[in-house]
């Protein structure tokens, strides 16, 4: 084969052309290289030595007149290489040696192994992941422009305080919702690319929720509200749950599912347009988080029916662990009532309590509906829903 | 420990530990008990070799010539038993700034020539020899500006050559000496920007490192060591990791004829005479 490098120097382009030509040579075929740049012969000799090629002739010129016999190393490097699965076929147990390689890439033998704890398809995979990821990517909103921050409003002091307390509570729960998927994301085999992407964008959603709730809380105040031991104890059981399926069930199906009712409630009774907007935007994202939890748990349960008992146990265990904690703090409860009531007027307060009752009933109904969809029977769903944490998440 | 083949190597870089740990495992898995000792400089290693502390030395070209001369003086024999494919047929270049107006070797008269470490074959001894043989005597006809990084490592450390290249660009000297592979590397990494320099001279071919043994080396273990080296295939991923680190694609038979230029250089400059005398005296 013939290759003319023209005026290219070897270090800045020539090496690329020579490497490409050598790959195209047939076995035993030699490569004749010519070129007019100065110093070509110097660099070509050094390069061939480093790559294990033999220089059969090297007249420096210029012009250069060289002949290369390719060494075996180029081919040897790719002996034993394997594809990291097919682009669109999901391996039930992708090997560690595929590491971070793109699904479908040709992986050099001897690539270091990565220890990803979540490397089984069944517990993590969902056929909906790609669709949900695309939806999430398209639905990303800019906190700076999606919320009407500058709309003027003035609330009675105590109503504003109630909003600040609710926001403080939401931020804490959003933080748990960010930390939990992130921990699993870091342990997931990248072969499950769509799930990895979805968990990443889910964490980004939560980051925005934290941002907008913080910004709403600080709109009229210089300090946040209260964080209670009971609330954090409840969230700690989520953060420390090591099992992906259980954590998903508790966080996404039961917790974020319950939060959906809460966020729509807040949007509905919001005393100001900013509160309404931030709760609506968060609720829209949360529905995707719930959908993904439902989707991969459904396929996991289909492949491993015994998981159902494990999930029920987990709900019991969490309930027992939290039995002696306070659950939802009274300040948050009262703040929710006051937000729905709109004032301390007794008639309004009675309305606020009714609204709160309706919210709790809706949360319960929705949890039961989702568990029935996962295949639990009425009695099981009823029992698990009533054992769900009083902290909502 | 008696049947363990002991190799000496010089720690010019932290990766040397990783490399020889890897080789130790490779040899052990194939039934050759093998261990290594690291020296901070080649002189220490050559002396230890003659004192019988090690069986094989992974020697720089200069350390090879030191061993050869000491062996001759002691009526012993040193042989080069294997080397890397990348140790064969190297060249060095002397580079000048493109706009310097230096058109030939004679124009270096009275100029400042940057070299590497004083004991670097590729960046100092061989280029200076070539200039001397072209009629330009170092220190007399031109100024030698050394960039000593880690003396005793015989130029294995790349730092001196890079510093010399930088000094050339900054105008602190008029020419710089370096091995051809670094000439390419320095252009690729941008130390020598495209078009800023050109080479004034390329030396004839010479050889680099080898595994050196003395006449009393354990024959059987050395034979096994050699055959296991030659079996190392770049197609084997475990082996490839080691070969990549050590910078070769395959091991070759050792040969001693590629050191003639360096031999002329050290004779002319008297580079190793005091050291050779010292070891000979110690071993006599
Ligand atoms: Fe959220
Ligand atoms: Fe969420």
């Amino acid at each position: 084969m013939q290759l003319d490098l023209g005026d290219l120097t070897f270090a800045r382009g020539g090496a690329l052309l020579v490497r490409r030509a050598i790959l195209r040579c047939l076995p035993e075929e030699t490569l004749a290289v010519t070129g007019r740049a100065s110093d070509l012969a110097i660099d070509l000799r050094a390069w061939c030595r480093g790559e294990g090629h033999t220089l059969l002739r090297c007249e420096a010129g210029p012009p250069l007149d060289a002949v290369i016999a390719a060494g075996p190393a180029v081919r040897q490097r790719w002996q034993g290489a394997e594809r990291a699965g097919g682009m669109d076929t999901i391996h039930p147990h992708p090997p560690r040696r595929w590491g971070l390689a793109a699904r479908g890439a040709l992986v050099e033998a001897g690539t270091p192994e990565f220890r990803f704890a979540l490397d089984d398809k069944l517990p993590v995979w969902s056929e909906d992941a790609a669709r949900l990821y695309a939806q999430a990517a398209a639905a990303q909103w800019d906190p700076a422009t999606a919320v009407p921050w500058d709309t003027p409003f003035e609330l009675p002091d105590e109503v504003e305080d109630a909003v600040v307390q609710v926001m403080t509570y939401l931020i804490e729960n959003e933080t748990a919702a960010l930390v939990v998927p992130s921990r699993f994301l870091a342990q997931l085999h990248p072969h499950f690319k769509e799930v990895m992407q979805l968990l990443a964008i889910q964490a980004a959603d939560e980051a925005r929720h934290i941002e907008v709730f913080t910004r709403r809380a600080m709109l009229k105040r210089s300090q946040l509200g209260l964080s209670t031991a009971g609330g954090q104890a409840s969230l700690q059981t989520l953060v420390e749950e090591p099992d992906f399926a259980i954590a998903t069930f508790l966080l996404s199906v039961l917790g974020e599912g319950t939060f959906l009712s809460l966020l729509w409630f807040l949007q509905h009774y919001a005393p100001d347009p900013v509160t309404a907007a931030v709760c609506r935007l968060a609720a829209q994202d949360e529905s995707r988080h719930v959908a993904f939890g439902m989707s991969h748990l459904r396929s996991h349960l289909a492949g491993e029916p015994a998981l159902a008992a494990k999930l029920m146990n987990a709900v019991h265990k969490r309930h027992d662990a939290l039995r002696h904690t306070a659950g939802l703090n009274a300040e948050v409860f009262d703040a929710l009532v006051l937000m729905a009531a709109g004032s301390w007027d007794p008639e309004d307060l009675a309305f606020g309590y009714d609204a709160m009752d309706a919210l709790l009933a809706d949360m319960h109904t929705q949890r039961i509906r989702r568990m029935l969809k996962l295949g639990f029977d009425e009695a099981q769903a009823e029992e698990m829903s009533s054992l769900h944490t009083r902290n909502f998440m | 420990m008696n049947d363990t083949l002991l190799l000496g190597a010089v720690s010019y870089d932290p990766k040397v530990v990783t490399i020889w740990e890897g080789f130790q495992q490779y040899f052990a898995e194939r039934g050759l008990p093998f261990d290594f000792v690291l020296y901070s400089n080649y002189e220490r290693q050559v002396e230890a070799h003659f004192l019988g502390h090690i069986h094989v030395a992974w020697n720089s070209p200069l350390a090879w010539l030191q061993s050869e001369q000491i062996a001759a003086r002691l009526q012993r024999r040193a042989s080069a038993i294997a080397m890397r494919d990348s140790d064969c047929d190297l060249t060095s270049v002397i580079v000048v700034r493109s706009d310097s107006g230096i058109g030939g070797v004679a124009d270096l008269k009275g100029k400042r020539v940057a070299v590497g470490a004083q004991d670097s074959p590729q960046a100092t001894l061989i280029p200076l020899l070539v200039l001397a043989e072209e009629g330009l005597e170092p220190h007399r006809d031109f100024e030698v500006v050394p960039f000593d990084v880690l003396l005793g490592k015989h130029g294995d450390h790349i730092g001196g050559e890079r510093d010399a290249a930088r000094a050339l660009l900054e105008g602190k000297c008029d020419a710089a000496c370096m091995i051809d592979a670094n000439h390419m590397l320095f252009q690729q990494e941008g130390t020598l920007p495209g078009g800023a320099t050109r080479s004034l001279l390329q030396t004839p071919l010479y050889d680099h490192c080898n595994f050196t043994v003395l006449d009393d080396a354990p024959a059987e273990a050395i034979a096994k060591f050699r055959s296991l080296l030659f079996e190392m295939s770049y197609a084997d991923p475990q082996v490839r990791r080691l070969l990549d680190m050590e910078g070769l694609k395959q091991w070759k038979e050792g040969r001693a004829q590629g050191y003639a230029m360096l031999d002329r250089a050290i004779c002319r400059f008297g580079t190793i005479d005091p050291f050779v005398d010292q070891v000979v005296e110690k071993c006599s």
Side-chain angles (χ1 to χ4, degrees), chain B residues 18 24 67 83 112 130 143 145 155 163-164 184 187 200 217 223 225 252 258 274 277:
Chain B
T18 317
Q24 184 179 35
S67 303
M83 58 207 300
R112 293 162 60 83
V130 172
E143 189 183 341
V145 187
D163 292 345
M184 183 176 67
Q187 291 174 82
L200 182 67
F225 173 73
K252 298 252 202 200
D277 291 345

Side-chain angles (χ1 to χ4, degrees), chain A residues 174 206 209 286:
Chain A
E174 295 294 348
E206 309 299 10
H209 300 170
E286 290 310 328

